[in-house]
Amino acid sequence: MNVWFRVFYIVLALLPAMLHAHTSATSDDITRGLAWLSSQQQADGSFRSNTMAATDWQASTEALQAFASAGQLDHLNTQTLATYLAGLNAHETELLSRRISANLRLSQPFADDLATLALRQNSDGGFGDENGFDSSVYDTLFALQVLANAGNRASPATSAAIGFLLSQQRSDGSFALDSDTASSAYITALTLRAVTPYLYVYNVGESLNKGQEYLYSLSAANGSWQSDWQAALFLLAVVPLTTDVTRYANTLSWLKLQQQGNGSWQDDAFTTALAVQALYLSANISLPTAPDKATVRGRTVDAGSAQPLANVRITTSPLSATDLLSDAQGSFVLNGLEEGSYRLTYEADGYLTASQTLNVKAGQLIDLGDIRLNLAPTTSLVRGVVSDANTGLPVAQALVQVTLAGTTTDTLTAVDGSYQLRCRQCQPDDQRQRLPWRQRQCQSGGRQRSRVFCAAAAGFRTHRAAATVWPGAGCHDRTTAGRCAGRAAE
């Protein structure tokens, strides 16, 4: 996006609020919005409408996000969209960042673009529009979104970028394109969306609160905004950060009223994509029954593999009655917390115990992000993928059994064929002594084979392998200098 196009958006953000007169939305507003949006995908894969408040690639990436959020990627041609994005000359950091995030969702290669993006980070921590350009809030916020999507929330690059953004926040909580331009609701909303994934990874809570208050101050009493897309961005920025729905309820109602009879907002693919995202987020956000209480949520993962950890016990002190276990995706939600200070403790078999202290306010929604637990010194982690040797496709529900130091552990593979096992009964790793896996009897199809590692699934021959591990190690199923890499196949 060139500087004049950016300034155009900033000017729009400063105009007085005005109402639109559109047809009222029905209860299936999200479905109708997605149906109209699907009809706007062009033969080249892009999304384009006759009237549009953005470029084709901005509309295309937001449309992708709308379908992805609603779990309806099968309603668009992802292959032609990926081809369209790949053919763009991504000089600008915004386009480069949007393409990386899109390729992550489309399971397309993105490593080269990510390396190019890294070169655009300056010594002040911010990102410029191209390599060698001065840092800007606009380019930095898009780069931060990419780093979060790619799982790089805790790294020197993100820490420096967060530091740059916070240094650019104004006393009223707003953000602007640069020091020479006026505060902008557009830039502030985008910045809050970019920083929110880093809540409690870095100390950004106060900055987010100030940004919210700035946006609330711009919202009219009836919830109206100067444009539909601004209302949608406002909701996307504030909904994840508060449990008090009354603070944005009028804007949510106003935005629903702006939907036209054909399912679109302003016959605009970009605006419709943002509106659908906002409505979907508002309808699916986890909220407490008492809005004057706080809610804390997060996800427990293995520090080495970033895989979710189920059945992690989360203890909340001083409220032991609120103890709970993480679900199959590692997620957990603590509702109904009074304002005050709490200590959260995370315990899982085979992992070191972790804890953190939180200060919560009434009506606050706190997303802790990923809580990374480290393997205990007497635990080894074995992980891999079971696939069909002929087709390469993953094999789900395959039984994987491992025997280590006389103890057998088993699990079933997930839909993508992946598995992960924690093996205990290991000796301390003082001398990094490798421990051989014990042989066991593995049965499949009525035949018994004596091996160390077994993977069995209906219709497949049993796969057997041997490996060596040491306490605290993580491995797949082929030993290489004590660390394992490979794929378990038929």
Side-chain angles (χ1 to χ4, degrees):
M1 178 185 292
N2 61 46
V3 66
W4 297 111
F5 196 63
R6 294 190 195 186
V7 171
F8 169 72
Y9 274 107
I10 303 306
V11 172
L12 283 178
L14 298 175
L15 293 175
M18 297 183 293
L19 284 171
H20 292 278
H22 298 301
T23 306
S24 297
T26 62
S27 58
D28 60 347
D29 45 8
I30 296 174
T31 300
R32 293 194 302 117
L34 288 173
W36 181 87
L37 197 57
S38 178
S39 71
Q40 303 307 301
Q41 188 171 23
Q42 307 299 310
D44 65 354
S46 67
F47 284 78
R48 191 182 312 119
S49 52
N50 292 332
T51 59
M52 206 155 65
T55 65
D56 293 356
W57 50 264
Q58 287 172 320
S60 298
T61 52
E62 292 297 349
L64 171 62
Q65 177 59 35
F67 283 99
S69 298
Q72 296 189 28
L73 283 178
D74 57 332
H75 288 195
L76 69 158
N77 191 325
T78 55
Q79 187 56 54
T80 57
L81 176 57
T83 302
Y84 162 75
L85 293 172
L88 297 175
N89 193 348
H91 284 304
E92 306 148 49
T93 291
E94 180 191 355
L95 172 52
L96 185 67
S97 300
R98 285 180 177 273
R99 185 164 69 185
I100 295 170
S101 294
N103 283 337
L104 279 164
R105 295 185 183 95
L106 296 170
S107 300
Q108 297 292 318
F110 62 88
D112 290 345
D113 279 351
L114 196 60
T116 300
L117 180 65
L119 296 175
R120 299 185 181 182
Q121 187 167 27
N122 297 315
S123 59
D124 60 4
F127 286 76
D129 189 38
E130 293 186 36
N131 194 13
F133 281 48
D134 290 342
S135 299
S136 74
V137 170
Y138 194 80
D139 296 305
T140 304
L141 68 88
F142 280 105
L144 270 175
Q145 286 181 331
V146 166
L147 295 173
N149 292 337
N152 298 324
R153 297 187 185 185
S155 69
T158 56
S159 177
I162 288 286
F164 171 79
L165 277 187
L166 298 188
S167 72
Q168 303 301 305
Q169 189 171 29
R170 297 180 175 178
S171 58
D172 63 355
S174 67
F175 289 87
L177 185 64
D178 54 47
S179 59
D180 297 326
T181 57
S183 296
S184 164
Y186 173 61
I187 298 296
T188 302
L190 286 178
T191 303
L192 263 59
R193 288 187 73 188
V195 174
T196 295
Y198 299 93
L199 185 62
Y200 286 94
V201 178
Y202 302 106
N203 185 23
V204 297
E206 185 60 32
S207 177
L208 290 170
N209 288 336
K210 290 172 61 179
Q212 282 186 86
E213 294 305 320
Y214 171 76
L215 291 178
Y216 288 133
S217 72
L218 300 180
S219 179
N222 66 354
S224 64
W225 284 80
Q226 169 262 325
S227 66
D228 296 358
W229 63 262
Q230 275 191 310
L233 276 177
F234 165 78
L235 292 170
L236 289 169
V238 302
V239 168
L241 296 172
T242 183
T243 60
D244 186 358
V245 297
T246 62
R247 303 206 69 180
Y248 59 79
N250 286 345
T251 295
L252 182 59
S253 297
W254 182 85
L255 182 62
K256 289 181 178 181
L257 289 173
Q258 310 316 304
Q259 189 174 22
Q260 300 185 159
N262 62 5
S264 76
W265 276 261
Q266 298 180 292
D267 292 315
D268 184 326
F270 176 74
T271 300
T272 301
L274 289 176
V276 167
Q277 290 179 53
L279 296 189
Y280 188 85
L281 175 64
S282 302
N284 290 277
I285 195 77
S286 298
L287 293 173
T289 55
D292 59 333
K293 302 294 194 298
T295 295
V296 175
R297 67 187 180 195
R299 189 175 77 118
T300 51
V301 301
D302 177 85
S305 67
Q307 294 297 308
L309 293 177
N311 297 317
V312 175
R313 185 186 180 203
I314 297 98
T315 303
T316 309
S317 177
L319 300 177
S320 58
T322 62
D323 293 359
L324 76 162
L325 298 176
S326 60
D327 63 19
Q329 287 72 46
S331 300
F332 65 89
V333 178
L334 291 165
N335 285 316
L337 297 179
E338 300 284 353
E339 184 170 324
S341 179
Y342 297 90
R343 184 173 183 81
L344 272 60
T345 303
Y346 309 94
E347 300 175 285
D349 183 38
Y351 286 84
L352 297 174
T353 299
S355 61
Q356 64 184 142
T357 300
L358 302 177
N359 292 306
V360 303
K361 297 179 181 179
Q364 190 175 21
L365 175 60
I366 299 175
D367 190 336
L368 301 176
D370 290 346
I371 293 92
R372 299 175 179 273
L373 301 185
N374 291 291
L375 283 172
T378 56
T379 301
S380 294
L381 180 67
V382 181
R383 61 177 181 264
V385 176
V386 177
S387 63
D388 186 320
N390 295 320
T391 66
L393 296 175
V395 178
Q397 296 296 299
L399 175 65
V400 179
Q401 296 178 319
V402 174
T403 298
L404 178 63
T407 300
T408 299
T409 307
D410 59 45
T411 190
L412 295 176
T413 57
V415 175
D416 62 357
S418 65
Y419 65 88
Q420 181 170 295
L421 288 164
R422 295 191 299 274
C423 304
R424 307 204 59 180
Q425 306 296 329
C426 300
Q427 299 301 316
D429 187 23
D430 295 338
Q431 299 178 353
R432 296 182 70 84
Q433 178 181 3
R434 299 184 182 183
L435 301 177
W437 292 22
R438 307 296 185 186
Q439 289 191 337
R440 60 162 281 107
Q441 295 292 316
C442 181
Q443 184 173 358
S444 175
R447 295 177 295 173
Q448 290 188 344
R449 304 281 177 83
S450 179
R451 284 290 178 180
V452 176
F453 166 97
C454 299
F460 292 89
R461 293 194 303 272
T462 299
H463 173 74
R464 299 167 301 279
T468 56
V469 298
W470 59 79
C475 71
H476 294 256
D477 84 340
R478 184 186 304 157
T479 304
T480 305
R483 193 158 175 84
C484 306
R487 182 178 293 265
E490 180 193 7

